[in-house]
Amino acid sequence: MTDAIALFLILLGLLFFFSGTVGLLRFPDAFTRLHALSKADTLALGLVCAGLALQADDGLLRAKLLLIWLLVLISGATCSSLIARAALAHGIRPWQR
Amino acid sequence: MRALPSHTVFDRGSGDPAMTLLHTAFDALLLLSMIVLAWQGVHARNMFRAVVSFMMFGLLTAVAWVRLEAPDIALAEAALGAGLTGALLLATLGRLEGDVSIERASRRAVRIPLPWAALGLVGATSLLAVALALPAPGLGGRVQEAMPAAGIDAPVTAVLLNFRSWDTLLEIAVMLLAVIALWSLGRDVLASPSRLPAPALPALVRLLFPLFILSTFYLLWRGGYGPGGAFPAGALLAAGLVLALLAGARVPKRVTGAPLRWALAAGLLAFLVVALAVMAESGVFFAYPEDYAPLLIAVVEIAAGLSIGVMLTALFLGGEPVSGDPVGGDPVGGDR
């Protein structure tokens, strides 16, 4: 049962990774690409970490997985914000239809 | 005692052909990506693209080291190859004036003169021949045999700080020489903090900087019995310091001058003092007496780790920091 839930979470995470990557490839400008990538990847990593934590043997490993997710969550969000600001500073205007 | 990395990486899924196939497919994809990124790094249309390719290449090199079961090198490669070298190259790129497009240069570079092509071919062939001629298990067995006398449990640290400490000493001396050469060129040229208000970065640095320091000392301590040690720890310390500099922190006035110079030289000094001191005891340069080996190695490791971190940060600063800079007082944040 636990294995089935873990498998489901990891597969769901992979789906989000995939959709984030599709967004990165298909969206028209830096801002929309960041929008797709940062959120989808953060959620995907959280799901994969949750799935792996379910299969982990001890609490220390679970804590490490949680810490990895939190650190990537914080730094990923900051990086996206920095890239978007740098793009604005270089005169890239957000895409409009 | 931890065993040396085995040389059976590629059949780790032993018994399960599906896992073996998966590993082989992953390795093939990794190699292919690295070759493509290396090509892009050399032949990219503009320098920014080349630098980003190089950083990605460093990241994948770290993954390759993980696949080869060498976590020590993977750690150092991730911090140095993908992080610090990338930051250095990007900072250099920011200081270059005018058009950084290298379209013409790269187009010209494609036409390699025939003698050079021939020489390159000979060189590549001889490298391949040497690689094939090397005995397959390498020196792992001999290191394992000598481990009881090393005075330390981690094979990589034993090799770096005991069996070939002379090489490591020279590596640190070369780094220090690089910093001295850089300082002789002028004062620090770190660009002023970004004109854009980016509140997220200083906030992130405030949060992460203590973690960088903690991880640095964890890696130094761990170097005694597992993957870790002076080089990954130093690289991590430098990454934290460079991040703080990028977030607007400046070298505090009370650190410039003598304290900074001592910090830069501490690794080499500790190394030399230990090497000469044990010479008085045993008569041989760097021959640690077995009783004191763990202590001496720990002293050298801590001093070298801190110095490596400060030296890498000094390289990023691009010159000697002069007191009288706009200093905000607190190490992180500065003035804005």
Side-chain angles (χ1 to χ4, degrees), chain A residues 56-71:
Chain A
D57 296 326
D58 59 316
L60 190 63
L61 200 55
R62 290 198 187 107
K64 278 183 191 166
L65 284 166
L66 181 70
L67 194 64
I68 288 171
W69 181 58
L70 283 177
L71 286 174

Side-chain angles (χ1 to χ4, degrees), chain A residues 68, chain B residues 2 55 58-85 154 156-157 160 211-212 214-240 301 308 312:
Chain A
I68 288 171
Chain B
R2 199 174 67 101
M55 289 166 79
L59 212 58
L60 289 187
T61 310
V63 177
W65 283 120
V66 170
R67 287 290 296 136
L68 291 169
E69 295 182 5
D72 303 74
I73 311 173
L75 266 172
E77 176 63 39
L80 287 172
L84 273 172
T85 319
V156 174
T157 308
L160 283 179
L211 285 179
F212 271 106
L214 183 71
S215 315
T216 299
F217 280 93
Y218 170 70
L219 282 176
L220 278 177
W221 167 72
R222 202 184 146 76
Y225 63 91
F231 281 91
L236 205 61
L237 178 65
E301 177 139 60
I308 288 169
L312 289 170

Side-chain angles (χ1 to χ4, degrees), chain B residues 124-136:
Chain B
T125 316
S126 17
L127 269 180
L128 189 68
V130 169
L132 289 177
L134 283 175

Side-chain angles (χ1 to χ4, degrees), chain A residues 11-97:
Chain A
L11 284 178
L12 199 62
L14 290 183
L15 186 69
F16 274 101
F17 269 130
F18 182 77
S19 49
T21 310
V22 170
L24 175 73
L25 293 175
R26 299 287 300 155
F27 279 4
D29 73 345
F31 304 101
T32 46
R33 284 176 193 162
L34 278 173
H35 163 85
L37 197 64
S38 57
K39 286 181 211 171
D41 272 13
T42 310
L43 182 60
L45 184 71
L47 288 167
V48 170
C49 281
L52 291 176
L54 278 179
Q55 294 201 311
D57 296 326
D58 59 316
L60 190 63
L61 200 55
R62 290 198 187 107
K64 278 183 191 166
L65 284 166
L66 181 70
L67 194 64
I68 288 171
W69 181 58
L70 283 177
L71 286 174
V72 174
L73 182 79
I74 301 166
S75 55
T78 310
C79 280
S80 302
S81 143
L82 286 175
I83 293 172
R85 278 171 192 278
L88 273 179
H90 280 80
I92 299 174
R93 293 293 114 206
W95 173 79
Q96 276 166 340
R97 196 194 295 272

